[in-house]
Amino acid sequence: MKVLKFGGSSLADAERYLRVKDICLDTHATNGAAVVLSAPKGVTNALSLLCEEAGNGKDYGELFAKLNMVLFGILDDLKDTLPEFDDSKLAPYIQNVLNELNQHLEGFALLRCAPESVVAKILSIGEYMSVNIFSQILTTLGTKNQIIDPAELILAEGDYLDSIADVAVSKARFSDVDSSGDSVLIMPGFVAVNAEGEKVTLGRNGSDYSAAILAACIDAECCEIWTDVDGVYNADPNQVDGAVLLDKLTYQEAMELSYFGAKVLHPKTIGPIAQHHIPCLIRNTLNPAAPGTLISNEASTKWTSVKGISHLDDMTMFNVAGPGMKGMVGMASRVFEVMSNANISISLITQSSSEYSISFCIHSKDATRAQDLLEDSFALELANNLLDPIEVRHDLAIVTLVGDGMRHSQGLAAKFFSSLAQARVNNVAIAQGSSERSISTVIESSKAKKAVKVVHQNFFSNLHAIDVFLVGCGTVGKELLGQISRQQAVLLERGISLKIYGIANSRKLLLASGGVDLNSDWASQLNDSDQSLSVDALQNFVMRNSLVNPVVIDCTSSTVIAELYVELMNSGFHVVTPNKKANTASYAYYQQLRETAQNTNRQFLYETTVGAGLPVIDNLQKLIYAGDELQRFEGILSGSLSFVFGKLDEGLTLSQATEIAKKNGFTEPDPRDDLSGTDVARKLLIMAREADLQLELDDIQIEPVLPSHFDDSGSIDEFMAKLPELDALYSDKVNVAKEEGKVLRYVGSISKGKCVVSIQAVGEDHPLFVIKEGENALAIHSNYYQPIPYVIRGYGAGAAVTAAGVFADVLRTMPWKQDV
């Protein structure tokens, strides 16, 4: 005979009972079936709330009426679905139960309390309703069935609302129960009886526990727990994308997973089936064809190492420490005796090797009581300073890695803690059992979901998350969003989940928990947002959504945003930017950015600040790291000025060339930003600092395109109207250079520790002679590269190239590319 347990479901109750009927009859036809049922959906919660409200003297009439409506509504639905369904006995039964319930509630209201002995009896009402309804369904269909009452058969001890069954004694009581398979056995879950003959309940997931007890008592061939999921996952699928369904678990693995928070099974459920070696199958009522997860002595051949990750929330840790702990026999036993006598469950224990302290975790609901009891028990030691004041830390969680194969796999602990470091999680305490089947860490509760996500990603998934927040949606920002939108599906196929979770401009911030749909009108959504950009707003969003790998992209030219980079990295964000303001601020801030990136294990990436999409900075850094030394550098660092000076070669005037560059989007909206030379100076300063020169922006000698005598004031249109005044000057410069076989180029150079930005005439033998049409080119003269320089050349103007370079930097923030 098989034991089948059915719990609550997202289905309507009548539909659920009919679904249960189909599964039950299929099993009964081949194996014989014993069915354990939970209460109808929401009924147990309603009963608990009724007891609470009545005990507090509140008006519970409306809730009672709703319960009445729910229960009789089930009968009406069944009559509509099963025309032969006879409720002539059920309706009076339900009414009698409700009448009795009302009498108890009236008593609670008079007493202003709800005795647990009576509450236990009330909380089991739903289960008895279920079995009577289901029995009538089977009777209607002509299937022989028998209701068995656990209040007569299952002996338990402990609290009225959280008792533990004595399986050995209970099994003897089942000797008269017919388990031949002749009848379908139907038993309410969650209920037992104590030695005094009073009804008790079996605590959380009590119906699962009841099924395991029944399976042990009738020597069932299998215990099937039917739920709303396909089986046991290696992490909570509601919290972790890509959680994997496990095919098999050993009893020990299931015990560890359930003990540390896996919600499909309670640890008490595993005990009876493991003791009697009864296989347990977790299956889905909504998907009966799914094979489910088998819990038995048989290990999985598919998942041979780590099986899963789980976590317990709402934990409190106590630390009992002091000089009186060391060498004092019996101190530990006294600590745990206090907890045992108070019936407080300890979830994790760790002790320092010096014997100076013992730490343990309990559920937070018991924390105040535990602290009072410990301080009373050790009052003498505390008064005489043999013990330090008992330290209590709240708002903690326990994250646990579980698997039988862990003992045979090297490096799992290191990988586990590296993952936690990647998630920027501090370990408050660590514990590992001697079986090496699990390893647990105590961490801040607020970071538990994120920790589980990162650990799962590193152990079970090839999917790397990049969680992006874009600041600045101008020309480059919009182009970048377009590129990301076009590539998201391709990246996902390659194991990279890149989502835009936030978009901001100077005034507004748009955040989307599921990611911004880049094909939607996100610009209007941003405009309608009532949020403004702040580091706190981004950090709170990351915490709420447990984002694993947050990245801020700054596509502005804002000094204000650049000044936030240190705070962003300290808050857990990588920073990617084409904005030159941060790296060309004071040298002290330049150093602080690098120190912060190193200390926080965050990436600060700015390849596009020099050379747009060209790998300029990366290559220079590699040369320096390899022991090379920069002797001299010269380069065309502005795509817009490369274009303008190239057009001068072709005979265009300065004003004509600048106008074309502006229309093509090569220049900044105000061309004076380019023609001033400051932009090139900033790029040159970044190159100099990367070569270990400690310079400030004021140290750069700049020859602007616009001479000092030229009045460049006024609006952009006014400036462009005046610009032809310089055409003759530059025509003369171009002609002089041409007579010497040279061309004019706007060059940034570094030599002997000095940086100069100037207009130079270069000949055919110079590597910058052919650079025009928006190209950038950089010639690096170093100890390794001489007399022929290392030249990097490529297109350096336009939004597409810059956005592509930013995109490449963003991809470098993938977790597997980080030194954890």
Side-chain angles (χ1 to χ4, degrees):
M1 177 173 275
K2 287 186 177 181
V3 171
L4 314 178
K5 179 267 172 181
F6 296 92
S9 168
S10 59
L11 298 172
D13 284 303
E15 185 179 354
R16 177 175 74 102
Y17 287 125
L18 297 178
R19 185 75 62 96
V20 169
K21 174 260 299 180
D22 292 338
I23 296 169
C24 170
L25 293 181
D26 284 346
T27 301
H28 185 61
T30 54
N31 304 89
V35 180
V36 176
L37 295 175
S38 296
K41 183 168 57 179
V43 167
T44 302
N45 288 339
L47 292 167
S48 178
L49 187 57
L50 279 168
C51 293
E52 182 181 335
E53 291 192 348
N56 290 328
K58 295 181 180 179
D59 182 9
Y60 55 84
E62 183 177 350
L63 181 60
F64 188 87
K66 286 182 179 178
L67 177 63
N68 187 306
M69 188 183 306
V70 166
L71 294 175
F72 282 102
I74 295 172
L75 300 188
D76 292 337
D77 291 344
L78 285 171
K79 285 191 291 185
D80 291 340
T81 310
L82 287 175
E84 303 87 2
F85 183 75
D86 181 8
D87 69 341
S88 59
K89 294 181 180 178
L90 278 176
Y93 166 75
I94 292 175
Q95 190 59 60
N96 288 336
V97 170
L98 289 174
N99 291 341
E100 185 178 348
L101 169 62
N102 193 46
Q103 291 175 2
H104 286 306
L105 295 175
E106 288 175 351
F108 293 171
L110 290 171
L111 293 171
R112 285 294 193 272
C113 72
E116 288 191 347
S117 57
V118 185
V119 171
K121 181 179 178 182
I122 289 174
L123 291 183
S124 65
I125 286 175
E127 279 69 21
Y128 282 95
M129 294 278 189
S130 274
V131 296
N132 279 277
I133 291 170
F134 189 66
S135 173
Q136 185 57 47
I137 291 172
L138 294 185
T139 301
T140 299
L141 297 173
T143 301
K144 189 177 178 183
N145 63 88
Q146 176 188 352
I147 295 175
I148 55 177
D149 189 351
E152 298 173 356
L153 299 168
I154 299 177
L155 181 68
E157 61 181 14
D159 292 347
Y160 283 106
L161 303 180
D162 192 12
S163 289
I164 303 291
D166 186 328
V167 177
V169 173
S170 300
K171 186 169 184 176
R173 295 184 171 193
F174 273 82
S175 58
D176 293 334
V177 174
D178 180 10
S179 58
S180 65
D182 180 53
S183 297
V184 175
L185 300 181
I186 310 173
M187 187 179 88
F190 188 52
V191 191
V193 66
N194 63 19
E196 286 72 39
E198 301 168 300
K199 278 186 181 177
V200 296
T201 61
L202 300 177
R204 186 169 70 87
N205 294 101
S207 291
D208 290 356
Y209 186 29
S210 297
I213 296 165
L214 177 59
C217 289
I218 64 173
D219 295 318
E221 62 181 272
C222 182
C223 177
E224 295 183 358
I225 308 293
W226 289 80
T227 69
D228 265 6
V229 293
D230 284 344
V232 180
Y233 287 80
N234 61 2
D236 186 344
N238 295 317
Q239 297 179 5
V240 177
D241 292 335
V244 177
L245 181 67
L246 300 171
D247 60 335
K248 295 177 183 177
L249 287 169
T250 64
Y251 295 120
Q252 293 82 2
E253 289 171 332
M255 181 72 78
E256 294 277 3
L257 278 174
S258 60
Y259 183 77
F260 285 108
K263 296 177 180 177
V264 175
L265 280 177
H266 191 275
K268 290 194 295 188
T269 304
I270 308 296
I273 58 176
Q275 181 183 353
H276 292 81
H277 304 286
I278 298 170
C280 180
L281 199 57
I282 311 300
R283 300 186 68 181
N284 189 350
T285 310
L286 306 178
N287 184 19
T293 299
L294 177 65
I295 300 171
S296 67
N297 288 316
E298 185 179 345
S300 173
T301 57
K302 182 178 181 182
W303 303 100
T304 57
S305 180
V306 176
K307 285 297 199 315
I309 310 129
S310 59
H311 81 273
L312 281 174
D313 270 327
D314 299 321
M315 306 303 295
T316 295
M317 190 173 78
F318 286 76
N319 185 42
V320 182
M325 295 290 292
K326 187 171 179 61
M328 186 71 72
V329 176
M331 290 293 282
S333 66
R334 283 180 60 192
V335 170
F336 298 126
E337 184 179 14
V338 170
M339 297 296 100
S340 176
N341 289 340
N343 201 27
I344 295 174
S345 175
I346 296 176
S347 300
L348 177 145
I349 302 170
T350 181
Q351 182 174 18
S352 67
S353 58
S354 66
E355 301 181 22
Y356 186 84
S357 67
I358 291 176
S359 299
F360 60 91
C361 288
I362 64 173
H363 291 281
S364 294
K365 63 181 177 64
D366 297 320
T368 301
R369 187 160 57 99
Q371 184 174 359
D372 291 342
L373 291 169
L374 283 171
E375 289 174 347
D376 286 346
S377 181
F378 290 95
L380 186 62
E381 288 84 355
L382 289 166
N384 289 282
N385 297 318
L386 290 172
L387 288 181
D388 299 333
I390 295 171
E391 180 186 0
V392 183
R393 292 191 60 171
H394 300 283
D395 300 321
L396 299 175
I398 301 174
V399 174
T400 303
L401 198 64
V402 175
D404 278 343
M406 289 174 60
R407 73 183 80 180
H408 306 300
S409 302
Q410 295 182 349
L412 289 181
K415 188 175 180 180
F416 179 53
F417 293 114
S418 292
S419 300
L420 295 172
Q422 181 185 315
R424 296 169 57 80
V425 171
N426 292 323
N427 299 291
V428 178
I430 299 167
Q432 182 170 20
S434 58
S435 67
E436 299 183 38
R437 185 175 288 114
S438 68
I439 183 167
S440 299
T441 181
V442 182
I443 64 175
E444 296 174 31
S445 184
S446 62
K447 296 185 176 180
K449 290 181 181 179
K450 183 176 181 181
V452 171
K453 273 189 173 184
V454 176
V455 172
H456 184 274
Q457 177 178 289
N458 289 342
F459 277 90
F460 294 98
S461 173
N462 293 321
L463 189 67
H464 301 283
I466 304 177
D467 311 317
V468 173
F469 299 84
L470 175 70
V471 183
C473 38
T475 306
V476 173
K478 286 181 180 177
E479 173 62 28
L480 177 61
L481 290 177
Q483 292 181 8
I484 291 173
S485 177
R486 292 190 293 273
Q487 286 297 111
Q488 278 179 319
V490 175
L491 290 173
L492 196 59
E493 291 176 1
R494 298 181 180 182
I496 303 168
S497 173
L498 195 162
K499 290 185 179 180
I500 306 292
Y501 283 95
I503 300 175
N505 57 26
S506 59
R507 298 173 296 105
K508 304 272 190 173
L509 170 64
L510 170 66
L511 296 171
S513 295
V516 177
D517 181 359
L518 297 181
N519 295 315
S520 68
D521 186 6
W522 56 263
S524 295
Q525 297 171 38
L526 175 61
N527 187 58
D528 294 339
S529 173
D530 57 1
Q531 280 190 283
S532 57
L533 176 66
S534 70
V535 177
D536 285 344
L538 297 181
Q539 188 177 28
N540 290 336
F541 180 87
V542 167
M543 294 299 293
R544 286 196 309 272
N545 292 276
S546 303
L547 299 185
V548 170
N549 192 38
V551 182
V552 168
I553 305 172
D554 174 19
C555 282
T556 74
S557 57
S558 166
T559 301
V560 174
I561 303 299
E563 289 172 347
L564 296 176
Y565 292 175
V566 167
E567 186 181 355
L568 283 166
M569 286 188 280
N570 280 325
S571 299
F573 294 89
H574 304 292
V575 175
V576 174
T577 184
N579 184 351
K580 294 175 278 292
K581 297 296 175 62
N583 278 330
T584 58
S586 69
Y587 187 76
Y589 187 61
Y590 175 87
Q591 288 293 91
Q592 186 183 7
L593 286 168
R594 279 136 192 85
E595 290 169 2
T596 303
Q598 184 173 10
N599 293 338
T600 59
N601 196 32
R602 298 297 88 183
Q603 299 265 25
F604 174 44
L605 301 168
Y606 45 91
E607 184 65 68
T608 49
T609 56
V610 180
L614 298 180
V616 178
I617 292 172
D618 187 50
N619 279 295
L620 179 59
Q621 288 175 340
K622 287 176 180 175
L623 289 177
I624 301 298
Y625 294 157
D628 202 354
E629 185 176 348
L630 183 68
Q631 293 182 348
R632 184 162 57 91
F633 167 84
E634 52 192 344
I636 293 175
L637 302 175
S638 168
S640 56
L641 294 182
S642 165
F643 180 88
V644 168
F645 277 81
K647 291 303 178 186
L648 294 181
D649 297 347
E650 299 173 9
L652 271 66
T653 65
L654 178 66
S655 60
Q656 289 171 336
T658 304
E659 183 66 36
I660 295 171
K662 183 176 180 294
K663 286 182 178 178
N664 289 342
F666 292 164
T667 70
E668 296 295 326
D670 188 341
R672 286 170 290 193
D673 294 340
D674 299 278
L675 298 174
S676 69
T678 303
D679 182 64
V680 174
R682 288 186 182 277
K683 295 175 180 177
L684 191 64
L685 178 60
I686 293 171
M687 293 293 289
R689 286 177 169 178
E690 293 296 319
D692 295 331
L693 297 178
Q694 298 184 23
L695 300 175
E696 302 290 348
L697 188 59
D698 292 342
D699 297 325
I700 311 296
Q701 182 181 331
I702 304 173
E703 178 189 0
V705 177
L706 305 174
S708 58
H709 62 78
F710 178 71
D711 179 14
D712 62 356
S713 62
S715 67
I716 296 174
D717 290 339
E718 289 170 342
F719 163 73
M720 292 299 294
K722 288 185 217 174
L723 193 57
E725 296 175 14
L726 297 177
D727 288 348
L729 173 66
Y730 274 90
S731 293
D732 291 342
K733 288 178 180 285
V734 170
N735 290 333
V736 170
K738 190 175 293 186
E739 288 175 1
E740 297 176 0
K742 297 180 178 180
V743 294
L744 295 184
R745 295 292 180 259
Y746 199 70
V747 179
S749 63
I750 304 172
S751 180
K752 297 180 181 179
K754 293 184 178 180
C755 297
V756 178
V757 176
S758 62
I759 302 169
Q760 294 184 20
V762 298
E764 291 184 5
D765 59 341
H766 197 284
L768 303 182
F769 180 84
V770 297
I771 304 304
K772 56 183 183 178
E773 296 296 341
E775 273 194 299
N776 281 3
L778 306 95
I780 298 172
H781 301 261
S782 68
N783 291 345
Y784 295 167
Y785 286 90
Q786 59 172 321
I788 300 174
Y790 178 18
V791 177
I792 303 171
R793 174 182 173 184
Y795 200 53
V801 171
T802 304
V806 173
F807 201 160
D809 269 354
V810 169
L811 294 176
R812 291 169 64 189
T813 66
M814 283 188 291
W816 65 271
K817 288 186 175 288
Q818 300 166 30
D819 295 324
V820 179

